[in-house]
Amino acid sequence: MNMDFSKTVLASLIFLIILSSNTSFADSNHHENDNDDTNQDVKSKLVKELIDWMISKGGFMDPRVEIRRWNPQDPTSYFGAFVNAPIQKDELLLQIPAAIKIQIDEEEEQAMKMQDEWDYDEQVCQLSWMLKMEYELGDESDYAPYINYLKAQPFGQIPAMWSPVGQHLLFEVQGDWSIHDFETQGEGEDMVMWLWKRFEPNCLFLNDTLNPFYISMAVQRGYDTALIPVYDMLNHYNDADKINSITRPSIYDQEDGFGVYALRDLEAGEELYYSYHACPDCRDTIDIWGTPEMLRDFGFVEPYPHRFHLRNNVTIFVDQVVEATDEDDGGISKSYVARCRDGKCPSKKWVTKQMEYLKNVERKQLAKSSSFIPKWEYATIKQYHKALTVALEAVLPLCTT
């Protein structure tokens, strides 16, 4: 570990110790980590209150849709939106009223859009300050059911808010893989300390520095200029065959809100998914966000297919192929296929170097760290390490130089 990183981790450790004593952190938008089973009845009650509040503000949820845990019998399984009866294509599933959104003022939003460059950092800062104000109002907030739901979420979901030991291990696993900077459209900071370096010194108001907790919430749960209750409980999938919902009109509509519709016919038991970076309002994120950026911003390793945006305008796409091997016992085999955008692959020298690096990290650090790192962080790091390894192994046969 270099000295600059060590100093930053030490500062973050001091901050997190102080913060964890009086603040709850939000869960991930996908496969949330919820190992605390002491408040499960409270959490389910808060979800119901959130939905009732949305409906009282002019919202709608089809009775065939329910927001619940993936496994109702497992109090640690994640929340999502599920269909309990068949629904036809184009039927309205949810109506999200504008009144429940925490959103940057429309005039300010339009002023931002008129600028030569879309200032993502400024949006995050403004939204973070708005969230802070509502948190401080508590039950007096106009958004109290949403704020109370957020306060009940588990601690430290995105890597920037992980434990220092978890952050360091992820930093080591990341190695030479580049992370894309949404604001500059170029190579960004590492996925661990980027939030601290980029936002904490700059999100100032009347000489008051914003608590990084609120910034992490705006990054993780925000939609550029808005936090959108209930809608932010729909989970992410990157597979076009899994994406089964779509929004109309724009999620940023400040007068009438928007609806969530069935993208195709739905069967009972299906979970509702949409893509966090390939949606009608996602701008060009599909070209700059990949699997590493999803982990950085949302705290999970997305399901396949994966996408890695590397240096020199190289992008690797990796998909998983699942095949039955024995119909009698239900056995399956998994293989992985890769392709490079426009046929432009990384060099064979770089790929083999990274493969060797990841093997060394696994042998020297990953295999020896499980008892020192929170369970959820360690499992996520292992999953990410595997995703990187699989991508390299799959793309290597395509590399010619």
Side-chain angles (χ1 to χ4, degrees), residues 41-99:
D41 289 339
V42 172
K43 199 165 183 182
S44 296
K45 179 174 178 288
L46 290 171
V47 170
K48 182 180 183 305
E49 290 176 351
L50 180 61
I51 295 168
D52 290 344
W53 170 67
M54 178 195 72
I55 293 173
S56 73
K57 296 293 184 178
F60 166 80
M61 186 166 78
D62 189 292
R64 294 167 293 177
V65 175
E66 55 184 349
I67 295 179
R68 59 167 173 81
R69 294 192 178 277
W70 177 73
N71 179 358
Q73 307 306 315
D74 180 1
T76 66
S77 62
Y78 68 90
F79 277 95
F82 298 85
V83 174
N84 58 35
I87 293 178
Q88 293 184 343
K89 178 182 178 181
D90 291 326
E91 285 195 67
L92 178 64
L93 308 172
L94 293 165
Q95 181 67 37
I96 307 296

